[in-house]
Amino acid sequence: MTVSGWLFDAYPIKDRMVFWIKDENGHSIYRLEDSWTPSIYVGTDNKTDLEILAENRAVQHYIKSYDFVSRHERIRDHEQSIVLQLILADASKAAPLANTIEDIDTHDIFRLYNIDILPAQAYLYEHDLFPLAKCNVDVRKDGKLEWGLDDNVRFTEYRLPEFKVISVDVMPKQEGRLPSFTDKIDRILIKLENGGDEDETIEIRKESEEDALYELMREAATIDPDFIFSQDGDEWMFPYLTTRAEKNNQMQLVLSRESVPIFVGPKKEKGITYFSYGRVHYRAASAMLFGRIHIDTNNSLIHDPSALHGLFELARVCRVPLHTISRSTIGRALTSMQFYLAHKRKMLVPWKPASLEKVKTIKELVVADRGGLIMEPRVGVYEKVAEFDFVSLYPSIITKLNVGADTINCDCCPDSKNIVPELGYRICQKRKGLVAESLEIPLQNRKEYKHLRKLATDDKSWAIFDSRQGILRTIGHVSFGYQGHAHSHFGLIDGHIAICAWARFIANKARKIAEDLEYNVLHLIIDSLFVNKKALDGAPPSHQQEQQQQQQYMKLKEEIEKATNFEISYEGEYKWIAFLPSKSNPMVGVPNRYFGCYQDGTIKDRGIETRRHDTPAYFSRFQREILEIMAQGNSISQVRARMPEVNSIFQKYKKQLQEGRVPLVDLIFTKMLSKDANAYTFSTVETGAIYQLQDEGKSMRAGQILQYVITDYYRNNSRKRTIPVALINEKTTYDSRRYTELLAAVCNSVTEPFGYFVKL
């Protein structure tokens, strides 16, 4: 039998791998099985020790067979070593087996590999597959699968079937101020996502919870969705539903295509808090479906069905199943690309990677650990400023200059001419680094998607290509930082440092070229350059002068690319741009706080309220509206002339606040907690909301999102100054005085550079 279609889902069940294939027309889906389990590997300096380990009864309990094979143990190894391959009897037992070996290994003689590669990923690597691959699968008489691919991760104009998408929401009969697992089900809503105004909603409301749950399962089976979206489904909805099912004659809630109940509940494994790139994050433990994909928009890389195409591209390029990739960090996606390439190179993945960083003196650290080049912006407002951005600078440095743990100061190139500026590190010239090669496909694909986006003739195609290039852009961003991350299996701090050194060298070259061509460099931040030229007179430039200016910009672009050998894009010319000062020192510029308007009227802003995730929607909408008025001015003087219009908008928004006509949903502040609720010691508006949630039995953890509204800012009792969104009721009102003060501050943050202040 041969099945043709797209590889939709993959997961292990004991000693088998299960696959779901969406067929050619997108209407049917097939379930296939393959008898297969992953392997882990053990290395040591004495093969006899491996033979003894392989026959150990505790080890034999977990495996169905073993072998001795040749592999590269370390990323810098040129020769392969003999290692022990342990083929698991149960795909889920890699970690227990590894722990057993560590218990046996009292003298630390064994080195463990490929422990934390998920079984589904290991199968995809081994068979050169990827999620949503177009394939033909032959099911042999012995039950084994033979895969044929009509697809490639390099393809950018691939076709996918139409997937069925639904959203599920549950409303409990809430007995307390917060929803509880003890509350009975009031109603369940199923929304069929058709991607437009024709979305259909099914309401399930029954006398008994048991009937409601059975109706939910019947509707899911009838609709047969591929994706089920939820809001807080991992942390709340599915644990709540499974708890209610257990309370009703020990029901089992089945929403998968596989006849497997959802094993979640209030006693389920808790989520985790982790620290990444200067921020604390929280990730809830996931509620997994089998044969369908559950997307929790509160616990996912994407936040609505419109972003699915970005998720599809990420799953394909990184070879990670859709359920897993939706809840992964970009670092984990990046790691999977490296794992795949390591498999192709017969290289093992260390279980507990050891740092290869060379110990440095204080003097060496001062030179090396400096980050990217940042020139303090010249505070003020400027006209006719051109912006240039290097294209994917950091990942391009990695791929072009071959930077990685296996290439820095390698043993094979003592006379390498590829030397890292300032540091003197030698880069290998004989082999392509694993990290460098792993980034080539996402970089190439993103470049093609950006080109296809320009050629798109309809909104749907444009949105698809934009979603794909956007998700690949994040891989480029993370690739640099992940070089020095503690969890990077193939990272190296010296690689991170080397990339920064090259970036400083390249940016500094660009600055010097701009100055040699008589430009004023107003700001330089890592890979972005802002320049202008002094006007000869105050008269508006003629059309001919504008054309000449564009030609000069193109010349600057060409000269920078010629000198650096890296692509730089001309982003456009600003009619005006404001570089903002520090709030603590008006003489000092802040690199990431500026806003301006391009010649075509497009507004670009960084670091102001419209860009902040914690800003209430009312303030963001207000600031965007006044920026659009300011954008109508073609010069600084014309912007100043529009300040009366800005003031009129301010008075309109102020009046709405004072009259209590603003919906509470538009006044919500959002804060990501940096520590657990009980760790806060100072009284703030945020802690008041946290304590109120604690009083109702909900204790928040570091990395979780707190949302609240200011109700009585100047009240002495700090616990009543705010209210968490979950406790809002029909009697809740906002503090119009405080919100009006904040509205004025939001306004002045963009009008102050033009010398204008609104008054309360």
Side-chain angles (χ1 to χ4, degrees):
M1 181 180 77
T2 300
V3 175
S4 297
W6 289 268
L7 174 56
F8 179 68
D9 198 11
Y11 49 87
I13 297 180
K14 294 186 177 180
D15 62 347
R16 295 164 292 142
M17 280 295 301
V18 177
F19 303 94
W20 292 86
I21 308 296
K22 193 84 170 172
D23 77 353
E24 289 281 356
N25 58 31
H27 298 308
S28 300
I29 192 162
Y30 299 95
R31 183 186 186 277
L32 304 177
E33 287 188 6
D34 199 355
S35 176
W36 176 92
T37 52
S39 301
I40 72 168
Y41 298 82
V42 187
T44 190
D45 296 330
N46 188 341
K47 186 180 177 183
T48 302
D49 293 328
L50 294 179
E51 293 171 346
I52 295 171
L53 179 67
E55 296 296 335
N56 185 284
R57 290 182 64 184
V59 172
Q60 286 283 322
H61 173 73
Y62 287 102
I63 65 173
K64 60 183 178 183
S65 63
Y66 67 87
D67 197 3
F68 294 95
V69 296
S70 296
R71 294 290 187 273
H72 294 285
E73 279 199 63
R74 300 173 185 85
I75 192 171
R76 297 172 75 94
D77 286 353
H78 290 275
E79 302 295 330
Q80 295 185 14
S81 307
I82 299 297
V83 295
L84 173 63
Q85 179 186 18
L86 299 172
I87 303 168
L88 296 170
D90 184 330
S92 66
K93 301 301 182 182
L97 174 55
N99 291 326
T100 297
I101 294 172
E102 283 202 327
D103 291 340
I104 296 169
D105 187 17
T106 56
H107 299 290
D108 293 330
I109 61 173
F110 295 127
R111 300 179 291 272
L112 299 174
Y113 301 96
N114 290 33
I115 309 301
D116 46 7
I117 300 177
L118 294 179
Q121 289 175 235
Y123 187 99
L124 295 178
Y125 303 156
E126 189 173 312
H127 294 79
D128 218 352
L129 297 169
F130 50 92
L132 299 176
K134 185 70 164 52
C135 53
N136 301 298
V137 192
D138 287 328
V139 183
R140 300 188 331 201
K141 292 182 179 180
D142 61 0
K144 296 292 290 181
L145 302 182
E146 288 187 358
W147 297 85
L149 274 186
D150 296 328
D151 206 343
N152 192 300
V153 292
R154 275 290 294 116
F155 292 171
T156 52
E157 296 186 74
Y158 55 86
R159 184 175 68 88
L160 293 175
E162 289 293 327
F163 294 113
K164 291 182 182 179
V165 181
I166 65 171
S167 296
V168 178
D169 196 9
V170 179
M171 286 73 167
K173 294 177 180 177
Q174 193 169 316
E175 296 179 356
R177 298 186 69 193
L178 289 176
S180 168
F181 288 110
T182 59
D183 296 335
K184 292 185 177 181
I185 297 171
D186 180 27
R187 56 197 170 111
I188 302 172
L189 299 179
I190 301 175
K191 180 181 177 183
L192 282 67
E193 304 282 356
N194 297 316
D197 298 330
E198 300 177 359
D199 294 345
E200 178 187 348
T201 299
I202 299 169
E203 180 177 278
I204 299 173
R205 188 187 290 244
K206 300 290 184 180
E207 288 295 323
S208 75
E209 289 186 295
E210 190 173 1
D211 289 344
L213 290 167
Y214 276 123
E215 183 66 16
L216 170 62
M217 289 188 280
R218 278 194 295 269
E219 289 289 355
T222 301
I223 298 169
D224 193 22
D226 300 300
F227 292 88
I228 296 180
F229 274 74
S230 72
Q231 189 172 12
D232 212 14
D234 289 336
E235 187 86 356
W236 160 253
M237 189 183 79
F238 280 121
Y240 169 73
L241 287 175
T242 54
T243 301
R244 300 317 306 161
E246 289 171 4
K247 295 293 184 182
N248 285 268
N249 300 319
Q250 293 293 308
M251 280 181 64
Q252 290 188 327
L253 183 67
V254 178
L255 291 175
S256 299
R257 283 190 168 114
E258 196 86 57
S259 296
V260 177
I262 302 174
F263 293 109
V264 294
K267 296 181 181 179
K268 171 180 175 276
E269 178 188 355
K270 299 296 183 182
I272 60 169
T273 295
Y274 61 97
F275 187 81
S276 179
Y277 299 98
R279 298 184 70 183
V280 176
H281 301 265
Y282 175 81
R283 187 172 298 281
S286 66
M288 182 177 178
L289 302 180
F290 299 90
R292 292 193 174 102
I293 310 300
H294 167 222
I295 305 288
D296 177 356
T297 57
N298 285 1
N299 195 33
S300 174
L301 286 171
I302 65 171
H303 304 296
D304 59 71
S306 66
L308 274 172
H309 285 281
L311 189 70
F312 297 159
E313 176 69 13
L314 191 64
R316 285 169 59 94
V317 168
C318 300
R319 299 174 192 267
V320 180
L322 287 162
H323 173 89
T324 303
I325 198 65
S326 73
R327 289 159 175 79
S328 297
T329 62
I330 293 296
R332 185 171 181 176
L334 185 67
T335 296
S336 181
M337 292 191 296
Q338 296 171 5
F339 286 178
Y340 167 72
L341 193 56
H343 172 80
K344 300 294 285 185
R345 294 184 177 191
K346 292 193 172 182
M347 182 185 298
L348 298 177
V349 177
W351 185 23
K352 298 175 182 178
S355 174
L356 301 176
E357 182 183 8
K358 172 179 135 339
V359 177
K360 299 176 180 62
T361 65
I362 295 296
K363 184 178 179 181
E364 287 173 328
L365 278 173
V366 169
V367 174
D369 197 12
R370 294 167 52 199
L373 179 62
I374 298 175
M375 286 179 57
E376 189 178 291
R378 299 187 191 181
V379 175
V381 186
Y382 300 88
E383 295 179 355
K384 299 198 175 301
V385 175
E387 180 184 3
F388 297 85
D389 287 348
F390 280 101
V391 178
S392 303
L393 179 60
Y394 281 88
S396 295
I397 289 172
I398 296 172
T399 55
K400 274 193 173 187
L401 301 175
N402 202 26
V403 179
D406 50 348
T407 60
I408 292 178
N409 293 329
C410 63
D411 298 331
C412 57
C413 301
D415 300 319
S416 172
K417 295 180 181 179
N418 188 357
I419 305 296
V420 179
E422 301 177 23
L423 307 179
Y425 296 167
R426 292 175 288 101
I427 304 295
C428 186
Q429 293 183 302
K430 292 184 179 179
R431 64 175 178 177
K432 189 72 172 180
L434 182 140
V435 175
E437 186 175 345
S438 70
L439 285 174
E440 288 179 347
I441 289 175
L443 284 177
Q444 292 168 359
N445 281 16
R446 185 185 177 221
K447 188 173 183 179
E448 289 186 24
Y449 285 133
K450 291 174 72 175
H451 177 67
L452 290 170
R453 185 178 60 178
K454 291 180 180 179
L455 300 179
T457 56
D458 60 274
D459 292 343
K460 183 178 179 180
S461 297
W462 189 96
I464 290 173
F465 295 137
D466 185 61
S467 182
R468 291 177 185 174
Q469 73 83 27
I471 203 79
L472 295 180
R473 181 172 180 262
T474 61
I475 289 180
H477 286 172
V478 170
S479 63
F480 152 67
Y482 208 66
Q483 283 274 322
H485 198 282
H487 294 158
S488 176
H489 290 75
F490 299 116
L492 182 70
I493 292 291
D494 288 327
H496 179 94
I497 290 171
I499 297 163
C500 288
W502 273 114
R504 292 194 300 273
F505 179 77
I506 293 164
N508 203 35
K509 265 192 173 183
R511 177 187 65 82
K512 289 180 178 178
I513 290 168
E515 291 175 343
D516 289 344
L517 292 176
E518 299 183 345
Y519 283 93
N520 298 316
V521 177
L522 301 175
H523 188 23
L524 190 159
I525 176 167
I526 303 177
D527 59 356
S528 297
L529 181 70
F530 297 82
V531 300
N532 75 346
K533 282 195 172 183
K534 292 182 179 179
L536 298 177
D537 54 50
S542 65
H543 178 68
Q544 183 178 1
Q545 288 174 321
E546 288 179 347
Q547 286 184 322
Q548 291 174 346
Q549 183 64 72
Q550 292 299 311
Q551 291 172 359
Q552 290 176 352
Y553 289 151
M554 291 304 103
K555 180 182 178 182
L556 174 58
K557 167 182 159 65
E558 291 168 6
E559 290 295 324
I560 291 174
E561 290 179 338
K562 181 179 177 182
T564 64
N565 200 31
F566 282 84
E567 183 182 356
I568 193 169
S569 65
Y570 167 61
E571 296 297 298
E573 184 185 65
Y574 291 93
K575 296 188 290 187
W576 49 264
I577 186 171
F579 297 110
L580 303 179
S582 165
K583 293 181 180 179
S584 59
N585 188 340
M587 302 301 293
V588 177
V590 179
N592 267 327
R593 285 194 72 221
Y594 60 87
F595 65 95
C597 180
Y598 288 110
Q599 292 289 353
D600 65 359
T602 302
I603 298 167
K604 183 171 182 178
D605 47 9
R606 295 291 184 270
I608 62 175
E609 286 76 8
T610 51
R611 296 284 295 190
R612 293 175 59 92
H613 297 298
D614 58 353
T615 304
Y618 192 71
F619 293 157
S620 295
R621 190 162 59 244
F622 163 70
Q623 194 174 69
R624 177 61 57 184
E625 190 170 336
I626 63 174
L627 283 174
E628 288 172 356
I629 290 173
M630 295 166 66
Q632 296 172 26
N634 294 324
S635 64
I636 296 172
S637 60
Q638 288 186 15
V639 174
R640 287 173 177 158
R642 292 189 174 273
M643 288 304 153
E645 294 178 58
V646 169
N647 185 59
S648 295
I649 299 299
F650 171 74
Q651 295 301 330
K652 180 184 74 173
Y653 276 77
K654 174 184 172 183
K655 184 178 181 182
Q656 290 174 348
L657 279 172
Q658 292 178 334
E659 293 177 353
R661 294 190 287 116
V662 181
L664 291 176
V665 70
D666 286 345
L667 299 176
I668 295 171
F669 286 91
T670 302
K671 179 181 176 62
M672 181 181 287
L673 300 188
S674 59
K675 46 192 173 184
D676 291 344
N678 56 9
Y680 286 92
T681 55
F682 294 101
S683 177
T684 65
V685 290
E686 287 88 6
T687 56
I690 292 170
Y691 295 148
Q692 290 178 64
L693 289 173
Q694 279 185 316
D695 292 342
E696 299 297 326
K698 180 177 176 62
S699 183
M700 299 194 69
R701 293 181 55 182
Q704 288 189 297
I705 302 297
L706 171 70
Q707 292 189 307
Y708 65 91
V709 171
I710 300 174
T711 54
D712 197 349
Y713 183 78
Y714 295 99
R715 184 171 180 166
N716 290 331
N717 182 355
S718 63
R719 287 201 176 201
K720 300 299 182 183
R721 296 163 71 191
T722 59
I723 185 170
V725 168
L727 299 182
I728 288 175
N729 57 39
E730 66 278 1
K731 296 181 180 180
T732 304
T733 58
Y734 60 84
D735 186 336
S736 60
R737 174 186 170 190
R738 181 56 182 164
Y739 276 101
T740 301
E741 292 171 347
L742 294 172
L743 182 73
V746 168
C747 183
N748 290 333
S749 68
V750 294
T751 61
E752 182 179 354
F754 295 89
Y756 184 80
F757 297 85
V758 297
K759 298 179 181 179
L760 293 176

